[in-house]
Amino acid sequence: MTAFRAETEFVGWLRARVSSTVPRLKLGIGDDAAIVEVTQGRELVLKADMSIEGVHFTRRLHPARSVGHRALVRSLSDVAAMGGAPKFALVSLVISKATTRAWLREFYDGMLALAERFGTTLVGGDTAVAAGKTLIDVMIVGEAERGRALRRSGARPDDRIYVSGRLGLSALGLRLLRSGGGRAHQAAIRAHLYPEPRCALGRYLSRKRLASAAIDVSDGLSTDLAHLCEASGLGACVWSDRLPTPELASALQPSASDSLDLALNGGEDYELLFTVPPGKAAQVPARLQGLPLSWIGQIRRSKGVVLVRPDGKRSTLRPAGYNHFGK
Amino acid sequence: MTAFRAETEFVGWLRARVSSTVPRLKLGIGDDAAIVEVTQGRELVLKADMSIEGVHFTRRLHPARSVGHRALVRSLSDVAAMGGAPKFALVSLVISKATTRAWLREFYDGMLALAERFGTTLVGGDTAVAAGKTLIDVMIVGEAERGRALRRSGARPDDRIYVSGRLGLSALGLRLLRSGGGRAHQAAIRAHLYPEPRCALGRYLSRKRLASAAIDVSDGLSTDLAHLCEASGLGACVWSDRLPTPELASALQPSASDSLDLALNGGEDYELLFTVPPGKAAQVPARLQGLPLSWIGQIRRSKGVVLVRPDGKRSTLRPAGYNHFGK
C-alpha cells in the first residue's frame, strides 16, 4: 500500500477515525477480534454484502465517498428489510497498490458518516493490498425483537403489497451519470450515489407488527417481488399505474414505458417492498417521516407475478432486474 | 459461474449442504439476513479474515478442501485467541468464472467439516463471480463470558509466556510442498494444509482465568509477540532453547538455526501465545487434551523482545514474520 507504509499504520489511522467510546462496545479495532454486548431478549440479524469494482461501482462514475456509502448501504438495507436495528460492522477491504490516502479518506468518510447516522459502529475487519480490482465486504450485526424479524416467507393470500419511496430513480441517476448530462438532476444522481437505507421503516413495520413479509428492492422490483413470492409459496398481481415511477421535472423525464421499465427492473433503489394483511392495511400511513408508501398490488394464491395495466391488460412479470455492471 | 446457472441455484445447492436445524439458529441462508439468538450474560466476539488466491493460497499447492479449511481457520483462530466459542459464520466468496462445481464442493466440504467440529454454523454471506483471483472473506460471531475475553493488552511484568503446539511446522510443510519432496512428511504438510484452531485452549484459559493476555500465532512468533508486548506496553525475553521447533524424523530435518528461524518467523501455525501471572503458573498443564504447552519466556518492563541463547548471548528479536505469498 503506497498510502501507508504498513498495515499497522493503516489500522492506527483507521482506529483514530472511529469512535471507541460507544455503549456496549467493549473492545474495538486492534485486537484479535472485537467484543460487543447485545441486549437481552433480542435476536441478532447477520448479513454480509460485497461491493466489487467494475461490478458494483467504477472509479470513473463513483466518487470514493459514494463507494464507501454504497458498500455500507447494501448490508444496512438488508438489515432494514428484516426490521432490525444495525449495531456493529466489520469491513474487509482489498485495495489496489495505486490507491491513494485521499481516496481512502473519502471512502471512509462516506462509510462512517452513514454508519454514524444509523447508529452503527465499525469494530473491525481485514485489509489487504492486491493487484487488480478494489473489493469491499461489509458485515453487519444488527438486532431485532425476538420473533418479530420480517421474513420474505410470511406473505398470505390477499395481503396488500407496498413499496417505499420511488422506484427506478437510482437506475435513472446512473444513466444520467453515464451520459454526463445529469448535473441538473441531483435527485436522481443522489439516489444512485447516496441511496438511503430504510431502517426506520423496517423498524416501524416490525415493532407495529404490520408487515407479514418484507424484502429490500436491491435487484429491481420484478426480481425482488419474485423472491418474496417464491419464499412465501404464492404469487402476486401489480398494478402498473400505482408504481411510484421516477419523476424528473425536466425534458430528461423518461417516457412512460421507459419509466415503467426503470421502476420494475432498475434495481439499487434500496426501498422496502412489504406485504400487509388486509385487516391491518388501514394502519399503513401514506408517509412515514416524509417517505411515501405506495400500495402497488396484492398477493394471490396462484404462482407467478402478473402486471395489470390501466386498460385491464394483464401480462406475466418476469424477473428482469439486473446488476448494472454485471453485463 | 459455469458451475451453476444462477446465484439462486448456487444458494439452493449451498443451503442443502448446511444444517438448518441448529439450536438458536432462527433463520439461515436464503432471506435478506440470518437471525440467531445469543446466550444471555455473554459478550459477542466478532472477526473477519480474508483469504486471497496468490496471497494466502495457490491452486497449485492447495487442494480446494484445504482452501476452505484454511479460510475458516483464520477467523476461528482469532476467536480462540479471545477465549471465545465460535457460533455462526458468514462467508463471502468471489470466484473466477472457470471455477468448477467439483472445486466448490471440495472447498465447502473442507470448510463445513471444520465448522461442524467446532460447533459453528454457516448462516449466510455473499457470492460473486468475477474475473481474476478467488477471494474468501469469513466472518465469525462467537461468544465469550462477560468480561473474561482474552486481550492482547493484559500482560504484566514477570508474567510467563507460553505457546501451544510446535512452531514453524506449517512453514516447513509449505517448503516441502513447494519442493515436491514432502510426501513422506505428512505431519508438516498436514500442519500447513489443515491447521487446527486452538479453541479448546482459548476457552480453557478464559474460563479458568489463567491467561493475562493472548494472541494467535498467525504471522510468526516474532511478529505476534511484538504485537502482544506493544498492546501491553511492555517487552519480553524468549529463551531460544525452549522454543518448540519443528521436528521431522528424517534426513529432511532442518538444521538447528533453520529450525529456530522457522519457529520464530514461520507463521500460519495458528497456535496460541499467552501470558500467565507467576502465581498461576503452577496451574498451567504441560498438555491440554494432548496439546503441549511450552513455557518459552517472560514479560519484562523494558520494551522490545530479547532472544536469549543457551550460551547466554542476547539479541534483539525483531518482527520478521511474513506472509508466505505476499512477497
Side-chain angles (χ1 to χ4, degrees):
Chain A
M1 190 171 350
T2 55
F4 295 92
R5 276 164 300 166
E7 191 178 351
T8 50
E9 190 195 347
F10 172 74
V11 170
W13 174 85
L14 184 58
R15 184 152 50 172
R17 302 177 81 80
V18 176
S19 174
S20 59
T21 57
V22 171
R24 298 160 47 202
L25 172 61
K26 299 294 165 184
L27 185 63
I29 296 167
D31 210 299
D32 287 305
I35 306 173
V36 304
E37 271 191 338
V38 288
T39 311
Q40 294 193 354
R42 293 208 170 180
E43 291 170 339
L44 291 187
V45 179
L46 305 176
K47 177 65 186 185
D49 273 290
M50 293 187 289
S51 297
I52 306 174
E53 186 179 352
V55 178
H56 302 96
F57 67 93
T58 69
R59 296 266 174 151
R60 187 174 70 82
L61 295 179
H62 299 91
R65 175 176 276 270
S66 165
V67 176
H69 178 106
R70 286 161 50 91
L72 181 60
V73 163
R74 286 169 59 77
S75 297
L76 283 185
S77 179
D78 282 311
V79 172
M82 304 295 291
K87 293 294 173 189
F88 303 102
L90 296 175
V91 176
S92 293
L93 183 61
V94 183
I95 53 176
S96 66
K97 283 174 183 151
T99 300
T100 64
R101 197 181 272 235
W103 193 92
L104 283 172
R105 190 170 49 235
E106 289 287 313
F107 169 83
Y108 278 107
D109 279 354
M111 179 175 279
L112 294 175
L114 182 68
E116 194 178 340
R117 277 206 293 127
F118 285 88
T120 304
T121 306
L122 179 60
V123 297
D126 195 7
T127 316
V129 179
K133 305 284 170 72
T134 292
L135 179 147
I136 309 117
D137 192 22
V138 177
M139 305 173 188
I140 297 278
V141 177
E143 290 180 343
E145 282 79 12
R146 201 177 295 271
R148 288 212 212 167
L150 309 174
R151 303 170 182 220
R152 299 178 178 182
S153 58
R156 297 287 168 266
D158 300 327
D159 281 0
R160 290 188 182 186
I161 304 170
Y162 292 82
V163 72
S164 65
R166 301 209 79 79
L167 296 178
L169 206 56
S170 171
L172 183 58
L174 176 61
R175 185 192 293 175
L176 294 169
L177 271 175
R178 279 177 167 156
S179 70
R183 298 195 180 278
H185 308 284
Q186 286 303 321
I189 288 176
R190 194 168 170 80
H192 179 74
L193 293 182
Y194 302 100
E196 191 76 1
R198 300 307 185 189
C199 294
L201 174 58
R203 299 287 299 143
Y204 180 86
L205 296 173
S206 162
R207 276 201 308 254
K208 299 271 185 184
R209 296 179 190 263
L210 268 181
S212 50
I215 189 171
D216 75 321
V217 186
S218 51
D219 293 333
L221 178 68
S222 62
T223 296
D224 293 313
L225 180 54
H227 287 320
L228 187 149
C229 287
E230 202 179 326
S232 296
L234 296 165
C237 73
V238 168
W239 305 297
S240 69
D241 59 345
R242 285 182 176 247
L243 289 172
T245 51
E247 279 179 355
L248 289 185
S250 85
L252 286 171
Q253 172 67 27
S255 69
S257 72
D258 189 19
S259 275
L260 184 61
D261 182 58
L262 284 166
L264 289 172
N265 307 314
E268 294 195 300
D269 287 305
Y270 300 108
E271 297 295 347
L272 294 194
L273 177 71
F274 57 98
T275 58
V276 176
K280 292 183 175 177
Q283 299 174 50
V284 179
R287 287 174 177 271
L288 184 76
Q289 295 171 14
L291 178 70
L293 306 178
S294 305
W295 176 24
I296 62 166
Q298 202 140 0
I299 295 291
R300 316 184 309 155
R301 273 188 202 282
S302 48
K303 301 273 175 80
V305 179
V306 172
L307 186 70
V308 184
R309 313 259 171 179
D311 60 6
K313 275 192 190 158
R314 302 161 75 89
S315 56
T316 301
L317 181 63
R318 301 199 187 283
Y322 55 92
N323 190 318
H324 296 285
F325 299 89
K327 293 193 176 180
Chain B
M1 189 172 350
T2 55
F4 295 92
R5 277 165 300 167
E7 190 177 353
T8 49
E9 190 196 348
F10 172 75
V11 171
W13 175 84
L14 183 59
R15 184 153 49 171
R17 303 178 80 82
V18 177
S19 175
S20 59
T21 56
V22 171
R24 296 160 46 201
L25 172 61
K26 300 295 167 185
L27 185 63
I29 295 167
D31 211 300
D32 286 305
I35 306 173
V36 305
E37 271 191 338
V38 288
T39 310
Q40 294 193 356
R42 292 205 170 183
E43 291 170 340
L44 291 187
V45 179
L46 304 176
K47 176 66 186 185
D49 273 290
M50 292 188 288
S51 298
I52 305 174
E53 186 179 352
V55 178
H56 302 96
F57 67 92
T58 68
R59 296 266 174 152
R60 189 174 68 83
L61 296 178
H62 298 92
R65 174 176 278 271
S66 166
V67 175
H69 179 105
R70 285 162 49 92
L72 181 59
V73 163
R74 286 170 58 80
S75 297
L76 283 185
S77 179
D78 283 311
V79 172
M82 304 296 290
K87 292 293 173 190
F88 303 102
L90 296 175
V91 176
S92 292
L93 183 61
V94 183
I95 53 175
S96 65
K97 283 174 182 149
T99 300
T100 63
R101 196 182 273 233
W103 192 93
L104 283 171
R105 190 170 49 235
E106 289 288 313
F107 168 83
Y108 278 107
D109 279 354
M111 178 175 281
L112 294 174
L114 182 68
E116 195 180 339
R117 276 207 292 127
F118 285 88
T120 305
T121 306
L122 178 60
V123 297
D126 195 6
T127 316
V129 178
K133 306 284 171 72
T134 292
L135 178 146
I136 309 116
D137 192 22
V138 177
M139 171 202 179
I140 297 279
V141 177
E143 291 181 343
E145 281 79 11
R146 200 177 294 272
R148 289 214 209 165
L150 308 173
R151 302 171 183 221
R152 298 179 178 182
S153 57
R156 297 287 169 266
D158 298 328
D159 281 1
R160 291 188 181 186
I161 303 169
Y162 293 81
V163 72
S164 63
R166 303 208 78 81
L167 295 178
L169 206 55
S170 171
L172 183 58
L174 176 61
R175 184 192 292 174
L176 293 170
L177 271 175
R178 278 177 167 157
S179 69
R183 297 194 180 277
H185 309 283
Q186 287 304 321
I189 287 176
R190 199 173 163 76
H192 179 73
L193 294 183
Y194 301 100
E196 191 76 1
R198 301 307 185 189
C199 294
L201 174 59
R203 299 287 298 145
Y204 180 86
L205 296 172
S206 163
R207 276 203 307 256
K208 298 270 185 185
R209 297 179 190 265
L210 268 181
S212 50
I215 190 171
D216 75 320
V217 186
S218 51
D219 293 334
L221 177 69
S222 62
T223 296
D224 293 313
L225 179 55
H227 287 319
L228 187 150
C229 286
E230 202 179 325
S232 296
L234 296 165
C237 73
V238 168
W239 304 298
S240 70
D241 59 344
R242 285 183 176 246
L243 290 171
T245 52
E247 280 180 352
L248 289 186
S250 85
L252 287 171
Q253 172 67 29
S255 70
S257 71
D258 188 18
S259 277
L260 184 62
D261 182 58
L262 285 166
L264 289 171
N265 306 314
E268 294 194 301
D269 287 306
Y270 300 109
E271 298 295 347
L272 295 193
L273 177 71
F274 57 97
T275 58
V276 176
K280 292 183 175 178
Q283 298 173 51
V284 179
R287 287 175 177 272
L288 184 77
Q289 295 171 15
L291 179 70
L293 307 178
S294 304
W295 176 23
I296 63 166
Q298 202 139 0
I299 295 292
R300 316 184 310 157
R301 270 186 204 284
S302 48
K303 300 272 175 81
V305 178
V306 171
L307 186 69
V308 184
R309 311 258 172 182
D311 60 7
K313 275 193 188 155
R314 300 162 75 90
S315 56
T316 301
L317 181 62
R318 301 200 187 282
Y322 54 92
N323 189 320
H324 296 286
F325 299 89
K327 291 196 174 177

